[in-house]
């Protein structure tokens, strides 16, 4: 699913014009980026957490030049789903496994 598909679905389900939905989504994405860039985490109960993870400094390799490269410690954005979210996805997975695969019949 792309962002445009998400905007269309939200617009259809809520009756809100697509332009307003798009502005809302863009604003949400910007706020998530700005908050994580400021070093803060975002916790959404029942959905999950947008967090920053610290990566330790390490030695990497530049394969082309065959030299060791120092990679300093840094932070990366991450998403940790809530238990309820994980449970919903697991239910979907078990339903898919129970259904016969049409490719297996050939």
């Amino acid at each position: 699913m792309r962002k445009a598909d998400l905007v269309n679905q939200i617009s259809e389900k809520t009756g809100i014009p697509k332009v307003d939905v798009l502005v809302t989504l863009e604003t949400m994405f910007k706020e998530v980026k700005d908050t994580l860039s400021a070093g803060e985490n975002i916790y959404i109960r029942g959905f999950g957490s947008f967090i920053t993870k610290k990566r330790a400094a390490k030695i990497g390799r530049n394969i082309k030049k065959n030299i060791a490269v120092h990679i300093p410690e840094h932070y990366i954005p991450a998403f940790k789903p809530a238990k309820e979210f994980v449970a919903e996805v697991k239910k979907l997975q078990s339903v898919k496994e129970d259904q016969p695969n049409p490719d297996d019949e050939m």
Side-chain angles (χ1 to χ4, degrees):
M1 176 182 284
R2 298 182 338 239
K3 182 169 50 172
D5 300 330
L6 184 60
V7 168
N8 288 336
Q9 282 194 353
I10 293 172
S11 178
E12 288 173 7
K13 289 180 180 180
T14 62
I16 299 172
K18 290 180 185 178
V19 174
D20 294 342
V21 173
L22 180 61
V23 169
T24 304
L25 271 180
E26 288 293 337
T27 304
M28 184 213 154
F29 295 149
K30 184 180 182 323
E31 287 302 315
V32 169
K33 288 179 192 176
D34 292 346
T35 302
L36 291 178
S37 296
E40 298 177 41
N41 296 331
I42 300 172
Y43 304 101
I44 303 171
R45 178 169 280 155
F47 183 72
S49 303
F50 294 94
I51 59 175
T52 53
K53 288 187 175 183
K54 183 178 179 180
R55 296 287 187 223
K58 63 181 179 180
I59 302 295
R61 290 207 67 73
N62 181 334
I63 298 172
K64 288 184 179 180
K65 296 180 182 178
N66 197 24
I67 58 172
V69 178
H70 173 72
I71 302 171
E73 85 175 14
H74 58 282
Y75 291 86
I76 60 165
F79 175 73
K80 184 178 179 193
K83 290 180 183 179
E84 298 89 2
F85 189 7
V86 172
E88 287 287 323
V89 174
K90 283 185 179 180
K91 276 195 258 179
L92 172 68
Q93 221 171 16
S94 64
V95 169
K96 282 186 175 182
E97 290 171 358
D98 293 342
Q99 294 176 350
N101 189 349
D103 295 334
D104 292 340
E105 295 175 3
M106 294 181 156

